[in-house]
Structure formats: structure tokens, C-alpha cells
Amino acid sequence: MSRGGQAVLGVLAAAAMANGAIAEDVAGNSFLRETLRSIDEEVGAYRPILMSMGKDHRVGRDSREALDRIDALLGDARRLAKETRLAEAVRQGEQAKRLAIETMVRLKSGETVTHSLTFATPADECDYEMRRFESNVMLVNMNLEGLGDPRVRERVAAAMAVAEELKAEAIGLAATRRYLDAVKKMEVANGFLTRALQALGVPTF
């Protein structure tokens, strides 16, 4: 092959690699935006509980202050998302979600906190559980940073390994349109991630 032909092939190969990288970036950005949207929806489900607490003279001030901080974090997340700094935006969103959960658990003092979500189809519910799974994985990884206790790391790793296996099974079920079975599998998978978060000292319910 002539040098000219080799040069053309080199250019084409470089272009293909660049296109592949762009496609990966687009897919990654899409996932992060979906994760951020899921966080926003989840925090939105907690907001009525926190607002109700804000009317309680015993914990109202703490609840209102927490809501102000949550809104500030979500505001930062939206600003970062507009700047396409999506990983940073998700981290801010996760902090807002974590603060909301911690505040409810702390102020409720052991009372059960519940919230409900409705879905148009089983496929939508399955999609939500998948997004919640990835969001929880990010939260686990954030809390693992700087953790030195090898026993806790081992417990977390074991729980995450089982969770990932269950997620893989759920993906297989969803691929055959067995969405209800996939949702049940993902609920169990998210349960293992909850155990991992609890081992890390993150309040969950």
C-alpha cells in the first residue's frame, strides 16, 4: 500500500476512534442526566414530609434549615448540569438526597417514613429501579472514598457483588419483557445496596 493510502487509513481510523469516544460521551452524559432527574424526583417525594415537619414547633426550625440547604444543593446541581459538568451535578444532587434522608430519619426519631411513586407501566417502574440502583452505587462509592476500615470495605464489597449479580439477572428479565419479575429482582438488588450504605453509616429506610 502506498504512503498516501496508509495516511488515508490512518485518518479514517482516527476519525472512527473519535466518533466512538463521542458516542461514549453522549451515552455517559445521557445516563448522568437521567440519574440527576431521578434524584430530583426522589427529593421531590421527600419534600412534603420535610415541609410538614417544618410546621412542627419541636423540629420546624431544623427542617426548614435543611430544606434551604437541600434547595441550595439542587440549585448548584442544576447550574452545573447547564454547564455540562454532569458528574459534579450528580454529586451535588446526591448530597441533597442524603441530607433529606438524614434529616427525616433524625427528626422523626424512629418514626416510620413512607413515600410512594406511581408508574404508567411496569417498564417505567423497572427503568426507575435501574436508575435508583445506579444512583445508590454512586452514593456507596462516594462514601467509600477515604474509608480505611478493611472489615467495612469487605462487607460493602460483598453486598455490592450480590447486588450487581441480581441487576444482571434483572436486565435479562427486562430484555424478555418480564418487567414485573425484573422489578422484584431490582428491589432485592437495591436492598443489598441499602445494606452496603448502612454498613457505611448512611441513614437509609
Side-chain angles (χ1 to χ4, degrees):
M1 181 181 294
S2 67
R3 291 183 179 179
Q6 290 177 340
V8 170
L9 287 177
V11 171
L12 291 174
M17 290 178 65
N19 287 337
I22 291 171
E24 287 184 6
D25 286 345
V26 169
N29 287 348
S30 177
F31 168 73
L32 289 171
R33 288 190 185 281
E34 279 297 305
T35 299
L36 194 58
R37 184 174 69 82
S38 177
I39 291 169
D40 199 58
E41 288 176 355
E42 189 168 350
V43 175
Y46 300 147
R47 179 174 291 280
I49 300 170
L50 290 167
M51 290 181 69
S52 177
M53 288 179 174
K55 299 174 184 178
D56 187 328
H57 70 277
R58 296 168 301 173
V59 298
R61 181 177 177 180
D62 285 345
S63 181
R64 291 191 296 271
E65 288 178 352
L67 268 173
D68 287 343
R69 294 198 299 275
I70 289 165
D71 287 341
L73 286 165
L74 290 177
D76 286 342
R78 295 183 185 111
R79 175 181 57 79
L80 290 165
K82 288 181 180 179
E83 297 173 1
T84 324
R85 297 161 62 184
L86 297 175
E88 295 174 65
V90 168
R91 282 196 289 272
Q92 292 294 93
E94 288 288 2
Q95 287 185 44
K97 183 176 82 170
R98 181 177 176 179
L99 176 58
I101 292 171
E102 288 177 345
T103 301
M104 287 188 294
V105 171
R106 177 169 56 85
L107 299 185
K108 275 288 189 178
S109 300
E111 294 180 38
T112 301
V113 180
T114 60
H115 71 283
S116 61
L117 295 170
T118 56
F119 303 95
T121 67
D124 290 338
E125 185 174 3
C126 183
D127 182 58
Y128 168 79
E129 289 295 336
M130 292 284 184
R131 294 199 310 272
R132 185 162 74 96
F133 182 93
E134 297 303 333
S135 177
N136 283 332
V137 167
M138 287 186 180
L139 191 55
V140 169
N141 289 332
M142 285 170 60
N143 283 276
L144 273 174
E145 293 178 6
L147 180 67
D149 191 331
R151 291 173 298 179
V152 174
R153 281 189 169 276
E154 185 176 343
R155 287 169 59 193
V156 170
M160 291 187 73
V162 176
E164 290 289 354
E165 289 178 7
L166 289 166
K167 180 195 172 186
E169 294 175 16
I171 290 173
L173 291 167
T176 58
R177 298 183 182 278
R178 294 170 59 188
Y179 295 115
L180 291 176
D181 291 333
V183 167
K184 292 177 182 178
K185 192 75 69 172
M186 286 304 302
E187 287 174 346
V188 178
N190 276 309
F192 276 94
L193 289 184
T194 295
R195 294 181 193 178
L197 288 168
Q198 289 171 339
L200 289 164
V202 179
T204 58
F205 58 91

